[in-house]
Amino acid sequence: MSQSRDPGQSAAPTASGGDTTRERILAAAMEEFARHGIAGARVDRIAKLARTSKERVYAYFRGKDALYAAVAAREYVVIAEATQLDPSDLPGYAGRLFDYFVARPDHHRLITWGRLELPGTTAAADDPDQAVIARKIDLLRQVQQAGQLDPAWDPADILALVNQIATTWAAQPELSEAAATHAVDPTTTARRAAVVTAVERLFPRAH
């Protein structure tokens, strides 16, 4: 999901206040895509929420796919900055991911819509989220080489498994609802503890 303007995104206007308008469009698009997905999102609703016109939206972004790509790419960077992967403390990282999506379930929906509706999209070489993933894999490999993480695991597998465990509850809201009724301890704190413990058993903290 690239922010590249070629071919999906047109050149942004350079008039005064353009950046502010663009930010309003991105914020409105974030809300619209999270609620309705890509196919169900409407540019006229985005424009209205952003207090601008459809024509102005299209002056920045050629279409919905390009707008979604910009929103999602920025969100991946925000998640990475908010959760900060420490390769020597993967349980802690999993806990931060859990916290992020518990506080922002709409952000998880935003990402999920892209996976469902744009599964065949090929990432560009300068795609921000791919760059974030590559950096995380490289960090994990460095820690393995330093003897602080089991080298038997492929670092790509480590990242995938930790992310999957950390987002278990965000990805399965029906199970979260069931746990609130049927779990021995129905609290969010208990769900978080289970996530952290599961990652700790697979990838113990370095000592």
Side-chain angles (χ1 to χ4, degrees):
M1 291 170 287
S2 173
Q3 287 179 295
S4 172
R5 294 191 183 103
D6 184 20
Q9 185 177 341
S10 60
T14 57
S16 176
D19 288 347
T20 300
T21 301
R22 187 177 188 276
E23 287 302 309
R24 290 203 310 270
I25 291 169
L26 288 170
M30 170 78 189
E31 183 175 330
E32 179 74 6
F33 286 128
R35 183 175 299 174
H36 301 287
I38 302 168
R42 290 176 52 182
V43 175
D44 58 342
R45 283 197 299 250
I46 293 171
K48 182 177 180 180
L49 185 59
R51 305 190 308 281
T52 189
S53 65
K54 287 178 63 175
E55 291 74 20
R56 191 68 170 169
V57 173
Y58 286 122
Y60 285 96
F61 305 97
R62 190 169 298 173
K64 283 198 300 182
D65 286 0
L67 180 51
Y68 175 84
V71 171
R74 188 168 70 166
E75 176 62 13
Y76 275 110
V77 174
V78 169
I79 293 170
E81 292 175 350
T83 58
Q84 289 295 319
L85 171 65
D86 178 353
S88 65
D89 181 13
L90 292 176
Y93 168 65
R96 288 189 292 277
L97 272 179
F98 176 92
D99 293 339
Y100 185 89
F101 287 120
V102 164
R104 304 166 184 83
D106 54 327
H107 291 217
H108 189 272
R109 289 197 302 273
L110 172 82
I111 293 170
T112 301
W113 280 118
R115 291 169 178 165
L116 290 172
E117 298 190 46
L118 302 173
T121 301
T122 301
D126 62 346
D127 194 343
D129 55 301
Q130 287 300 310
V132 167
I133 291 169
R135 285 196 298 272
K136 289 181 177 181
I137 290 174
D138 186 55
L139 283 172
L140 291 168
R141 185 175 287 112
Q142 291 176 31
V143 171
Q144 286 178 314
Q145 293 169 348
Q148 296 179 305
L149 187 62
D150 187 352
W153 292 91
D154 189 301
D157 291 328
I158 294 174
L159 184 60
L161 288 168
V162 173
N163 285 351
Q164 189 68 27
I165 293 169
T167 59
T168 293
W169 298 101
Q172 301 179 91
E174 71 282 0
L175 286 183
S176 294
E177 185 176 343
T181 302
H182 302 292
V184 174
D185 183 342
T187 64
T188 301
T189 300
R191 305 288 76 74
R192 186 187 195 277
V195 163
V196 172
T197 298
V199 174
E200 171 73 29
R201 291 183 181 180
L202 277 174
F203 309 111
R205 292 178 175 87
H207 297 290

